């Protein structure tokens, strides 16, 4: 076998990009940052950065998440996680040779879900940061209402949104958008925001409370939504929903 010669292969860099989603003002929103330097200086982009030499991909994604939002992250199957940790999972890999004008850069995108995140605080080489409804970012046109994202970040964002929309059909992932204790009405509004549809409250209540392991009553109630006291729940032990919560056809 001939010896392996690293110089025979072109070098390339690896980055992580974060699709950070939350529900703000009853709308599914994504975190975007304004680039402070070239390439695409001044353009909005997904948060992220280059993977450091000593990091694996999950460590790099968690570091970027902490730097951009101050959040701690946990994987989809980890236990004993902080009460307000964000859900973090690998989304997809993007390797078009021309996706970055500087050099060959392969990005490993990650999806981050967390409830009611606060206003972001830009840092490092970021010129600004804000939450934007996903509908204003993945639309078909590049006008003021649908600003073009840097690199191939519109595609990455669209893939992340579709992952979230499909996963809440068959998994308990929707609870990642909720506080530790929540009402059925608050959970329904998560589904409505992520799917972009209105759901019948009675049918939804029947489905989620009748799905084994989905919700666990805490024994408490709340009036934070107004009206009569509503029962509080927390996420149950199920990770897969059977039967699934099928997305309505629109």
């Amino acid at each position: 076998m001939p010896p392996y010669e690293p110089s025979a292969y072109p070098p390339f860099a690896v980055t992580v990009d974060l699709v950070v989603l939350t529900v703000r003002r009853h709308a599914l929103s994504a975190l975007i940052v304004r680039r402070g330097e070239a390439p695409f200086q001044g353009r909005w982009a997904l948060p992220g950065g280059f993977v450091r030499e000593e990091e694996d991909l999950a460590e790099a994604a968690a570091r970027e998440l902490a730097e951009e939002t101050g959040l701690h992250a946990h994987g989809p199957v980890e236990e004993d996680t902080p009460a307000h940790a964000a859900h973090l999972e690998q989304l997809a890999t993007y390797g078009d040779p021309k996706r970055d004008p500087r050099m060959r850069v392969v990005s490993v995108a990650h999806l981050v879900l967390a409830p009611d995140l606060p206003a972001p605080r830009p840092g490092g080489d970021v010129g600004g940061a804000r939450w934007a409804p996903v509908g204003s970012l993945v639309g078909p046109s590049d006008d003021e209402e649908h600003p073009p994202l840097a690199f191939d970040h519109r595609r990455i964002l669209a893939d992340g949104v579709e992952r979230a929309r499909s996963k809440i059909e068959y998994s308990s992932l929707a609870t990642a958008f909720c506080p530790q204790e929540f009402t059925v009405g608050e959970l329904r509004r998560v589904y409505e925001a992520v799917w972009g549809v209105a759901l019948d409250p009675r049918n939804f209540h029947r489905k989620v409370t009748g799905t084994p392991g989905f919700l666990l009553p805490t024994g408490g109630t709340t009036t934070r939504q107004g009206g009569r006291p509503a029962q509080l729940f927390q996420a149950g032990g199920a990770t897969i929903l059977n039967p699934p919560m099928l997305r309505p056809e629109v």
Side-chain angles (χ1 to χ4, degrees):
M1 180 180 293
Y4 169 72
E5 179 52 57
S7 63
Y9 301 92
F12 64 89
V14 178
T15 61
V16 290
D17 287 310
L18 303 177
V19 179
V20 186
L21 301 178
T22 193
V23 176
R24 291 174 60 85
R25 301 181 180 91
H26 306 300
L28 182 64
S29 300
L31 177 64
I32 54 175
V33 297
R34 189 184 294 278
R35 290 186 56 78
E37 56 186 39
F40 304 108
Q41 184 173 8
R43 292 267 292 274
W44 291 100
L46 298 175
F50 287 93
V51 178
R52 296 173 180 172
E53 186 175 359
E54 72 280 2
E55 290 178 319
D56 65 23
L57 295 173
E59 290 171 341
R63 173 181 54 80
E64 288 290 343
L65 177 64
E67 291 176 357
E68 297 290 349
T69 69
L71 286 172
H72 297 287
H74 66 83
V77 295
E78 292 180 16
E79 298 180 354
D80 300 325
T81 55
H84 299 289
H87 172 90
L88 172 68
E89 67 175 72
Q90 194 172 123
L91 174 62
T93 302
Y94 301 84
D96 188 315
K98 298 180 180 180
R99 63 178 303 274
D100 192 313
R102 293 168 293 189
M103 63 178 295
R104 180 73 188 273
V105 177
V106 173
S107 177
V108 183
H110 289 71
L111 177 64
V112 181
L113 307 177
D116 194 25
L117 296 180
R121 292 175 296 180
D125 61 354
V126 173
R130 68 183 177 93
W131 292 104
V134 297
S136 68
L137 301 173
V138 297
S141 60
D142 290 338
D143 52 27
E144 291 184 0
E145 185 178 358
H146 302 97
L149 297 179
F151 305 103
D152 53 357
H153 287 185
R154 174 178 288 184
R155 176 191 172 190
I156 297 175
L157 174 60
D159 290 348
V161 170
E162 181 54 34
R163 168 75 66 86
R165 286 173 174 167
S166 62
K167 285 198 72 170
I168 65 173
E169 290 188 272
Y170 61 86
S171 78
S172 58
L173 191 60
T175 59
F177 287 105
C178 295
Q180 194 170 16
E181 294 186 351
F182 52 88
T183 68
V184 170
E186 290 169 335
L187 181 62
R188 173 173 52 81
R189 281 184 281 275
V190 166
Y191 274 89
E192 291 177 332
V194 176
W195 283 344
V197 298
L199 300 174
D200 180 82
R202 292 186 178 181
N203 287 340
F204 182 84
H205 190 285
R206 175 178 52 81
K207 289 180 180 179
V208 297
T209 56
T211 301
F214 191 6
L215 303 182
L216 181 66
T218 66
T221 61
T222 181
T223 57
R224 61 178 175 238
Q225 300 299 313
R228 297 188 301 175
Q231 187 175 7
L232 285 169
F233 295 85
Q234 62 186 21
T239 56
I240 302 298
L241 302 184
N242 188 18
M245 295 286 296
L246 297 179
R247 192 183 340 180
E249 295 185 4
V250 294

